[in-house]
């Protein structure tokens, strides 16, 4: 693994240190916007670490976010907050392990359809349980957590995800993951345990997604299956990652900022046409930006890698 450039460490500390003090000098609207940015930055980066390198498109993001949300709804009143976050990661990891074991032989569109189907199945199961067993469709989350505290938690998680992505991009595990993405058979012939590597990274990134759901849940105050397991989240994360580019671990983040700002405008002024515009953006990315913004910058010689 290459040695870390000291200048990169200083830049990392300065950027995240500056982001940490932003809530002290701005208003609630800006903090709310930044929470949305950090939420999707975490999700898109975690998604890109696995899907970008293995070339397997997962639409199960909403399932892991929902697991995190319902972990908070079930345990936040009886357990300390750090333990709730740990539980959300554990539950998300168990779900990812089950999905991973069921999809060992799947690839391409079959993997996409399976992950989307699993997310929808879990949403329907939770909906059935809440309607028929609990007797109420939704749950309220009353926690004394400010917007700034949610922002800081997401920022700390993003810093950890960023460090994880950087380490993975330069480690043997990351190299094995990229080789699996290029040619799984060749990777196996090179002595790489392709099943173990894919499961390890898929479970790890899914645990991050569940923690994101747990952190953001108090922000919503009220959740129900259609909110916690919203399939639109899976598609938005996919579009953001593709817009930014998945060739490097930080690529998906590049697509988060323009799309979050675009969604903010569309939600305010064109709420009835949101899905239509999202579809149009997806088509533009596929036809005109196949490598995303990252690929465009690489063609221009602005970045290497």
């Amino acid at each position: 693994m290459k040695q870390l450039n000291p200048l990169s460490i200083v830049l990392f500390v300065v950027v995240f240190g500056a982001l940490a003090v932003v809530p002290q000098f701005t208003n609630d609207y800006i903090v709310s916007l930044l929470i949305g940015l950090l939420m999707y930055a975490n999700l898109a980066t975690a998604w890109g670490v696995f899907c970008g390198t293995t070339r397997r498109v997962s639409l199960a993001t909403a399932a892991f976010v929902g697991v995190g949300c319902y972990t908070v709804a079930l345990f936040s009143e009886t357990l300390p907050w750090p333990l709730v976050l740990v539980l959300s990661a554990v539950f998300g990891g168990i779900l990812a392990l089950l999905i991973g074991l069921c999809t060992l032989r799947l690839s391409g569109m079959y993997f996409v359809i399976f992950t989307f189907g699993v997310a929808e199945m879990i949403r329907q199961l939770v909906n059935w349980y809440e309607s028929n067993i609990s007797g109420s469709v939704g749950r309220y989350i009353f926690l004394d957590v400010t917007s700034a505290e949610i922002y800081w938690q997401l920022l700390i998680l993003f810093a950890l995800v960023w460090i994880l992505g950087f380490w993975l991009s330069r480690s043997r595990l990351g190299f094995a993951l990229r080789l699996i993405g290029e040619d799984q058979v060749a990777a196996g012939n090179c002595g790489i345990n392709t099943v173990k590597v894919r499961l390890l990274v898929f479970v790890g990134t899914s645990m991050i997604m569940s923690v994101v759901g747990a952190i953001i849940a108090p922000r919503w105050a009220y959740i129900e299956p259609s909110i916690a397991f919203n399939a639109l989240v899976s598609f938005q994360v996919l579009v953001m990652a593709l817009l930014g580019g998945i060739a490097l671990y930080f690529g998906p983040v590049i697509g988060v900022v323009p799309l979050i700002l675009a969604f903010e405008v569309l939600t305010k002024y064109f709420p009835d046409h949101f899905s239509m515009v999202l579809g149009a953006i997806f088509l533009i990315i596929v036809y005109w930006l196949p490598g995303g913004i990252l690929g465009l910058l690489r063609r221009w010689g602005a970045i290497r890698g």
Side-chain angles (χ1 to χ4, degrees):
M1 186 172 127
K2 297 178 181 178
Q3 294 296 320
L4 191 61
N5 186 346
L7 182 61
S8 300
I9 299 176
V10 173
L11 185 61
F12 178 86
V13 173
V14 169
V15 170
F16 278 89
L19 289 173
V21 299
V22 168
Q24 305 294 332
F25 301 98
T26 188
N27 55 43
D28 291 340
Y29 173 76
I30 298 298
V31 173
S32 177
L33 187 62
L34 290 174
I35 287 175
L37 283 168
L38 283 173
M39 171 187 167
Y40 281 101
N42 276 301
L43 293 176
T45 304
W47 185 94
V49 166
F50 176 78
C51 299
T53 49
T54 63
R55 303 291 192 268
R56 282 172 167 78
V57 176
S58 169
L59 290 179
T61 303
F64 301 122
V65 173
V67 166
C69 289
Y70 270 87
T71 302
V72 173
L74 292 172
F75 299 104
S76 61
E77 294 184 0
T78 55
L79 296 177
W81 181 245
L83 187 55
V84 173
L85 294 180
V86 172
L87 272 182
S88 68
V90 171
F91 291 150
I94 293 173
L95 175 62
L97 183 61
L98 293 175
I99 293 176
L101 291 174
C102 293
T103 57
L104 290 176
R105 298 182 182 279
L106 298 182
S107 61
M109 66 177 179
Y110 298 103
F111 184 79
V112 179
I113 293 170
F114 186 93
T115 54
F116 179 73
V118 166
E120 281 300 292
M121 182 186 71
I122 293 173
R123 183 172 71 87
Q124 294 298 336
L125 283 174
V126 174
N127 193 43
W128 176 87
Y129 180 86
E130 295 288 65
S131 301
N132 296 281
I133 306 300
S134 298
S136 176
V137 176
R139 293 175 182 267
Y140 288 96
I141 299 173
F142 297 113
L143 288 176
D144 188 16
V145 182
T146 65
S147 298
E149 289 170 342
I150 293 174
Y151 169 84
W152 284 323
Q153 291 179 63
L154 288 172
L155 183 63
I156 292 171
L157 181 63
F158 186 50
L160 296 175
V161 171
W162 192 269
I163 292 171
L164 173 66
F166 181 83
W167 169 81
L168 197 61
S169 68
R170 300 187 173 207
S171 67
R172 291 185 177 181
L173 179 61
F175 176 76
L177 202 62
R178 289 193 297 275
L179 191 56
I180 292 172
E182 294 294 331
D183 192 328
Q184 183 171 328
V185 176
N189 291 334
C190 292
I192 296 173
N193 188 331
T194 58
V195 173
K196 182 179 178 181
V197 170
R198 279 192 290 128
L199 277 179
L200 182 64
V201 179
F202 185 62
V203 169
T205 54
S206 300
M207 292 170 74
I208 293 168
M209 294 178 184
S210 292
V211 174
V212 172
I215 293 174
I216 204 71
R219 178 74 174 169
W220 293 337
Y222 171 84
I223 62 169
E224 58 182 41
S226 62
I227 297 173
F229 297 93
N230 188 354
L232 190 60
V233 172
S234 297
F235 287 100
Q236 286 177 331
V237 169
L238 169 64
V239 174
M240 288 172 182
L242 293 180
L243 176 61
I246 56 177
L248 297 174
Y249 75 95
F250 58 82
V253 178
I254 301 174
V256 172
V257 176
L259 283 183
I260 284 293
L261 296 177
F263 292 163
E264 188 73 13
V265 174
L266 291 173
T267 303
K268 182 176 182 179
Y269 296 104
F270 308 100
D272 297 331
H273 302 87
F274 184 86
S275 298
M276 187 185 302
V277 175
L278 180 64
I281 292 174
F282 185 77
L283 292 176
I284 291 172
I285 294 171
V286 170
Y287 280 103
W288 291 335
L289 285 172
I293 297 173
L294 195 63
L296 189 64
L297 294 174
R298 294 174 76 175
R299 286 200 298 274
W300 289 349
I303 60 173
R304 295 181 297 174

